[in-house]
């Protein structure tokens, strides 16, 4: 009963403008929808890098993990510099960087909106040739990319599906070969 009263009181405060609603866990984050200027390949590469530096595996990069990341990238930062980096992209004000905020670094970099030098170093650490980022595309290139975006995602999904089919076929062939060899021992 007490929990319900607390929730109702909080809802009333939100409705009256005395308190802000919490952003986050209730809505699901879809990076492909929220960051349409990034390809699936880019997002997966960023996710791989995010997980690499999320040493605690809690889904966040905290101050110490960010410090570790910057040292590994060869651009160590002061404690104040690290806090400034987090503050610039920490939308939910929890003092940590979640995957959405990590992608926001690259999104803001593409728009030229990053202020903290350390964040620019993170962006530079991504191999542009491997990831294929569009960073400096002019207006017309961005417009054309937006128009062909749905085709691009469909093509990437088809490629992933074809690759999985090839892997399944190879596994089936290996299994048949194994059974054939095993029959020779019986």
């Amino acid at each position: 009963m007490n929990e319900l009263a607390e929730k109702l009181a909080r809802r009333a405060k939100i409705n009256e403008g005395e308190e802000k609603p919490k952003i986050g866990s209730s809505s699901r984050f879809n990076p492909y929808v929220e960051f349409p200027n990034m390809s699936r390949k880019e997002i997966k590469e960023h996710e791989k890098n995010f997980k690499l530096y999320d040493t605690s595996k809690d889904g966040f990069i905290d101050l110490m993990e960010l410090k570790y990341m910057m040292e590994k990238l060869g651009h160590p930062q002061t404690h104040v510099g690290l806090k400034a980096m987090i503050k610039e992209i920490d939308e939910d004000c929890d003092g940590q960087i979640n995957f959405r905020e990590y992608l926001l670094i690259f999104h803001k970099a593409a728009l030229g909106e990053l202020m903290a030098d350390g964040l620019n170093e993170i962006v530079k650490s991504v191999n542009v040739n491997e990831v294929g980022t569009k960073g400096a595309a002019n207006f017309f290139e961005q417009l054309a990319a937006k128009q062909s975006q749905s085709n691009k995602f469909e093509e990437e999904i088809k490629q992933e599906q074809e690759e999985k089919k090839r892997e399944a076929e190879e596994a089936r062939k290996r299994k048949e070969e194994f059974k054939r060899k095993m029959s020779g021992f019986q």
Side-chain angles (χ1 to χ4, degrees):
M1 190 74 172
N2 197 12
E3 183 181 346
L4 179 60
E6 289 174 10
K7 286 184 177 184
L8 289 173
R10 183 173 181 287
R11 178 53 55 197
K13 287 181 180 178
I14 290 172
N15 290 341
E16 293 171 9
E18 297 173 14
E19 193 173 319
K20 290 185 177 180
K22 291 183 181 176
I23 301 172
S25 61
S26 63
S27 62
R28 297 199 65 174
F29 165 62
N30 184 340
Y32 307 111
V33 172
E34 194 159 340
F35 296 98
N37 61 327
M38 294 182 191
S39 69
R40 290 174 57 84
K41 186 176 179 181
E42 286 176 294
I43 291 173
K44 286 182 180 187
E45 183 71 22
H46 291 315
E47 184 176 20
K48 186 177 98 181
N49 289 333
F50 179 83
K51 287 179 179 179
L52 176 69
Y53 294 111
D54 179 19
T55 56
S56 63
K57 305 298 182 213
D58 61 354
F60 298 95
I61 294 178
D62 61 20
L63 187 72
M64 294 311 293
E65 291 168 333
L66 184 60
K67 179 180 184 226
Y68 170 75
M69 174 194 283
M70 297 308 294
E71 288 171 354
K72 286 292 184 185
L73 296 175
H75 300 284
Q77 301 286 314
T78 64
H79 193 74
V80 174
L82 294 169
K83 283 188 169 187
M85 290 167 61
I86 290 175
K87 184 178 179 184
E88 183 174 341
I89 57 165
D90 187 16
E91 291 188 331
D92 55 6
C93 300
D94 62 354
Q96 304 176 94
I97 300 171
N98 60 32
F99 182 57
R100 183 192 176 286
E101 293 164 340
Y102 183 78
L103 289 177
L104 199 58
I105 295 171
F106 298 93
H107 178 72
K108 284 187 170 187
L111 298 175
E113 296 176 355
L114 285 180
M115 302 302 285
D117 289 335
L119 294 176
N120 284 313
E121 296 304 326
I122 292 173
V123 172
K124 290 176 188 174
S125 72
V126 175
N127 186 339
V128 176
N129 293 328
E130 280 183 20
V131 178
T133 185
K134 298 178 192 170
N138 65 30
F139 173 77
F140 294 108
E141 289 174 335
Q142 289 177 357
L143 186 60
K146 206 178 237 186
Q147 290 174 347
S148 67
Q149 174 185 355
S150 62
N151 293 339
K152 178 176 66 174
F153 283 133
E154 289 173 9
E155 187 63 34
E156 287 177 357
I157 291 170
K158 285 179 185 176
Q159 288 174 350
E160 288 175 8
Q161 290 172 342
E162 288 173 10
E163 186 175 330
K164 286 180 183 179
K165 285 180 185 176
R166 281 192 301 272
E167 289 172 358
E169 181 63 24
E170 289 173 8
R172 186 188 62 75
K173 287 180 181 178
R174 284 193 306 270
K175 190 173 182 179
E176 286 177 8
E177 182 67 20
F178 177 77
K179 285 181 181 179
R180 188 183 60 75
K181 287 180 180 179
M182 286 300 292
S183 67
F185 290 109
Q186 294 175 358

